[in-house]
Amino acid sequence: MKKILVVLLSLLALSATAQESSQRTSVVCGPYLQNVTTTGFTVMWISDVDAVAWVEVAPDDNQSFYYADRPKFYDLSGSGIKPVNKVHKVTVSGLEPGTRYRYRIMMKAVDKYYHFLDINYGREYGADVYTSEPPVVKTLETSYKEVKFSVVNDIHEKDSLLRRLFSDQEKTRKMDFVVFNGDMTSSLSTVDKLVKFDLTPACELFASELPFYMVRGNHEFRGRDAIHFPEYFDFPSHGPYYTFKYGNYFFLVMDSGEDKPDNDIEYQDAYCTDPYLRAEAEWLKGIVASEDWKNAEKRIVFSHIPPQTTDAWHGNWNMSNLFLPVLNGASVDLMICGHRHSYAFEKIGVSDAKFPVLVNSNCERADIKVSPKSISIEIFNPDGKKLRSVKL
Ligand SMILES: [Fe+2]
């Protein structure tokens, strides 16, 4: 009788294990590209359950993805231990400049993680390259004659508007990258809003194959989950302010902070943006002193909050007192902003910025082409109709 009981218990245990190990994971959002460089790129995506993840990469040739065992790249943020989580961030390196690669995202669900190294894995997930073509990414060229990009901002969770602004897929594909210039959400009370209103449409519209860059707006400071905002992008560890280059064209992404002082009653003592923005200003001094900045063909700055001296709020004060003293005199060719929800193109002298400033509206798309001789700006409404153009 005792033996029968032991066998029954063993069978029950096996059955339970079999059920647990049948769990599989799927992609909730993604993949989306971050930090595409001349020699690599970062892929991010979100899974429904905890999983370990990797990315497989193949040349964009005529061979099947299944022709060979493809190189595997893992999330190295665990310093040698595979992270177990839902937000996955894998950097692929060692590639050739200006070259197209196919990639597919891979995962293995983690059902249980016991005290030591007893891990119950679920079924593996792999993007099925039989039924859908794997996305293709092109590494950056070492030099560019011109660079083209699209900018939207202040969409404030209207994802249907975002989809309309990028409905011309053919046109979007001709761009080198896309920028979300802040306030794409109204608050991050739950991080699901970032996924639903920003990342999911971005992935469906362009971000699996086209690099996109996120600029934090003041509304992305707000809400209980706002502190998790940086985890959904491949930002530097110091925060969502950074630079990137396309050949000799230099792009600076700033975090312009909140629009009111930290001690405003509305913020309920949640912020310490003053020391954070001061640290950013110190970092900025190093950027404009760098050889890359000085030798750049053009220097384009993204900042959600614009320079403004009339009817200025504290966000404009930060710009005037922390950032413009560094940027004025640093040969900025154009600053691209949002925040005001209305269009303006401000020549030197309109504010205290010593460079031209484009303020894009909250319902239009700015397509910008930068070349050695000029910067051209075209503004489109959600129906794709060109409303304005400016040439610098
Ligand atoms: Fe704003």
Side-chain angles (χ1 to χ4, degrees), residues 154 156 182-183 217-219 259 304-305 338-341:
D154 297 280
H156 283 284
D183 283 9
N218 54 302
H219 280 266
D259 58 358
H304 175 72
I305 296 179
H339 189 56
R340 285 192 211 143
H341 293 204

Side-chain angles (χ1 to χ4, degrees), residues 259 305-317 319-321 324 339-340 342 344 346 349-353 359:
D259 58 358
I305 296 179
Q308 185 173 321
T309 48
T310 307
D311 298 325
W313 288 37
H314 189 66
N316 309 117
W317 185 97
M319 176 59 71
S320 294
N321 291 279
L324 288 185
H339 189 56
R340 285 192 211 143
S342 60
E346 298 181 344
V350 173
S351 71
D352 48 352
V359 182

